[in-house]
Each structure stands twice: as C-alpha cells, then as structure tokens.
Amino acid sequence: MERTLWVLGLLAFFILCLWLMYRAWQKKATRQRDRIGELPTVPAELGAQLLEPTTGVYLGSTIAPSWQDRIAVGDLGFRATAELTRFERGILLERDGATVIWIPQESVSAVRTERGHAGKVMTQDGVLVIRWTLPTGTEIDTGFRGDDKTVYPAWTADATRVTTGDDE
C-alpha cells in the first residue's frame, strides 16, 4: 500500500509540473503578444526566385539578440519540417502543419550561420539564422537547419548582395 501511495504521489507531482510548464508558456505568450503582433502576409507576386528551395527543419523564432528567448506567440515557437525559398521580394518559409512565414526583403537585416538557435545546438555553422524586423518594430531571429548545409554560403552571400545592393 505504501508503494502505491508513493507512485500516486509522484504521478500527481509530475502532472502538476506539466501543468505549471503549460501555464508558464501561456503567460510568456501573453507578455509577447504586443511585441510580436501580426506577421506579414504572403504577397500575390513574390518576384523571381533567387535561390532554389532547400528542405530542413524550422527551429523556431527568438527575440533578437537572445538565441534562447523563444517566441511563444502562435506557432512561431514550435519546430516543424520546412522548405525555405528566396525570392526577389523576400523569403518564404513553408512549414508542415503550421502557418507559412513570409519575411519581406526590406525587413531582413542579416542572414548568417550560427552554432545554435532556440535551444538547439549543432556543430559549427550548423544553423541558418535570418534576422528580420516585424511590422511592430521588434527584431527577431528565425532559425532553420537545412538538410544540405552546402547551400548556406549561397544564402549568406545572397543576403548580403540583395540587402546592400552590391552587384558582383
């Protein structure tokens, strides 16, 4: 009987911990809601495709400059398999089972590689991170781990060329 009470007590404690984590996530989302606001919508005309689509995993978005301050609003904080494509007018991130993220070209401030993002740590330069500004003025980082890391130099070089207007 004593063992049964211990098991039930631990089970109740475990459920309490899960509930407290859920409540903390909800409170974080409430605090961030005004800073995040509405995401940009995908325009009807994307412009010419500058880079081929690359598949991988969307790691989440964080409030810049912290690589661990994950955004809890909507589904921006959840990982998903995704496809990342660069167009003249911006970057399209199509996620499986989640909303599409459109990053307008004028909002992109940097595309770089990092070792980690949103609680995910990889090898050196294992994560492609896009820093951009939301319509509310909040700067965020969106992380993407590509299946083929050999495309990263094209993404980082293209971001510099398109953003600064330098022609090579």
Side-chain angles (χ1 to χ4, degrees):
M1 183 66 172
E2 185 177 330
R3 182 175 277 171
T4 304
L5 289 175
W6 273 105
V7 169
L8 290 175
L10 285 173
L11 182 63
F13 179 71
F14 178 73
I15 291 171
L16 175 67
C17 288
L18 287 177
W19 182 76
L20 289 172
M21 287 189 304
Y22 173 76
R23 291 288 300 144
W25 185 262
Q26 294 300 316
K27 285 183 180 184
K28 184 176 185 176
T30 301
R31 283 193 314 268
Q32 292 178 344
R33 192 159 279 121
D34 290 338
R35 288 182 71 187
I36 303 304
E38 293 293 320
L39 295 178
T41 57
V42 180
E45 179 57 42
L46 303 176
Q49 183 176 317
L50 300 178
L51 292 174
E52 290 294 318
T54 184
T55 59
V57 177
Y58 166 76
L59 299 176
S61 292
T62 61
I63 295 179
S66 175
W67 68 280
Q68 290 188 330
D69 188 8
R70 186 185 295 266
I71 295 174
V73 177
D75 59 2
L76 288 175
F78 302 127
R79 290 190 175 120
T81 56
E83 185 176 85
L84 190 65
T85 311
R86 182 85 188 224
F87 294 95
E88 281 181 332
R89 296 190 59 198
I91 299 171
L92 184 64
L93 182 59
E94 297 175 285
R95 302 179 294 160
D96 292 338
T99 58
V100 173
I101 297 175
W102 172 251
I103 304 172
Q105 178 57 40
E106 61 273 6
S107 298
V108 176
S109 56
V111 179
R112 66 191 190 283
T113 56
E114 292 286 339
R115 180 181 167 97
H117 183 75
K120 180 74 170 179
V121 179
M122 300 287 295
T123 59
Q124 185 69 25
D125 298 331
V127 178
L128 188 68
V129 178
I130 303 163
R131 180 163 290 177
W132 58 293
T133 306
L134 295 171
T136 61
T138 302
E139 198 170 51
I140 68 171
D141 287 334
T142 297
F144 182 81
R145 186 190 75 210
D147 294 333
D148 179 13
K149 310 239 181 340
T150 62
V151 300
Y152 287 1
W155 277 89
T156 56
D158 188 60
T160 304
R161 183 180 57 77
V162 173
T163 303
T164 62
D166 295 339
D167 286 355
E168 298 177 336

